[in-house]
Amino acid sequence: GTGPWDGLTGTTSWFKNDVDTSAKPEGTQNVWILITDYADNTLVVGPTAFQVDHFAPSLSVDAAFDGAVYKNAEFTITGTVSDAHLGADPITVTATKDGVAHTISAGATYPVPGSTWSQVVNIDGTGSYELTITALDDYSRSSVEKRTVTVDQTDPTSEITGVSPVVTGGKVNSDITIT
């Protein structure tokens, strides 16, 4: 490395936690250490690689889960995730039912990096399920989306109490009113 160099002082150990990487592109970067002793002897150590990650993953949830969503059985929620530094399992989905933790029986699937993810959500009866979808990259940057799904397993009920006007023989020959 040829610099620029940041000065550190010490005799046996150093710690520098304020290296400005804002102008560096994402990906692998290198650092070198230039050591100078009291007699102006120098030694360059390195390079040592490190990763620059400026951005959290880009996370989206299928538009079918925007706004009011109603289901009556187990369902699958899907979306996409992308980032330069995603691991093998970047998606985690957690749930609550009516404000109480709900265990999802299996993890999210993510078959092709940089593409679609999906999560089967098992249900435990009627209620309001809040889903928290978290995308996490290899450097602990995360994005979070939340969706609420109302599960209703109660069949609708209805009763017809009358039809009018009815003419002779139970036949109707005009507009009717059902009550």
Side-chain angles (χ1 to χ4, degrees):
T2 59
W5 302 99
D6 286 336
L8 300 172
T9 58
T11 56
T12 58
S13 65
W14 308 274
F15 179 74
K16 181 140 181 81
N17 66 352
D18 62 347
V19 176
D20 182 9
T21 61
S22 62
K24 298 286 184 191
E26 285 216 347
T28 303
Q29 300 296 318
N30 290 303
V31 64
W32 290 263
I33 307 285
L34 172 65
I35 302 168
T36 305
D37 67 13
Y38 292 119
D40 285 331
N41 298 306
T42 61
L43 171 66
V44 175
V45 178
T48 297
F50 67 96
Q51 295 293 319
V52 174
D53 182 18
H54 295 295
F55 307 106
S58 174
L59 173 64
S60 70
V61 177
D62 188 314
F65 286 88
D66 293 345
V69 178
Y70 296 92
K71 301 288 181 183
N72 66 0
E74 177 178 279
F75 59 92
T76 301
I77 187 168
T78 62
T80 61
V81 63
S82 62
D83 187 86
H85 309 286
L86 289 177
D89 297 310
I91 297 294
T92 302
V93 180
T94 58
T96 61
K97 177 190 171 210
D98 299 327
V100 177
H102 171 70
T103 301
I104 295 178
S105 58
T109 59
Y110 179 64
V112 180
S115 69
T116 303
W117 58 267
S118 65
Q119 174 68 62
V120 174
V121 179
N122 54 293
I123 62 167
D124 186 22
T126 296
S128 178
Y129 291 76
E130 182 177 270
L131 306 175
T132 301
I133 303 105
T134 304
L136 184 67
D137 73 12
D138 289 337
Y139 301 103
S140 298
R141 291 191 181 271
S142 63
S143 296
V144 176
E145 291 284 337
K146 291 189 177 211
R147 296 295 188 272
T148 300
V149 176
T150 300
V151 173
D152 180 0
Q153 293 183 309
T154 305
D155 292 334
T157 60
S158 180
E159 180 182 348
I160 299 174
T161 58
V163 176
S164 65
V166 176
V167 293
T168 308
K171 296 181 179 180
V172 176
N173 64 2
S174 65
D175 291 340
I176 62 170
T177 302
I178 298 175
T179 56

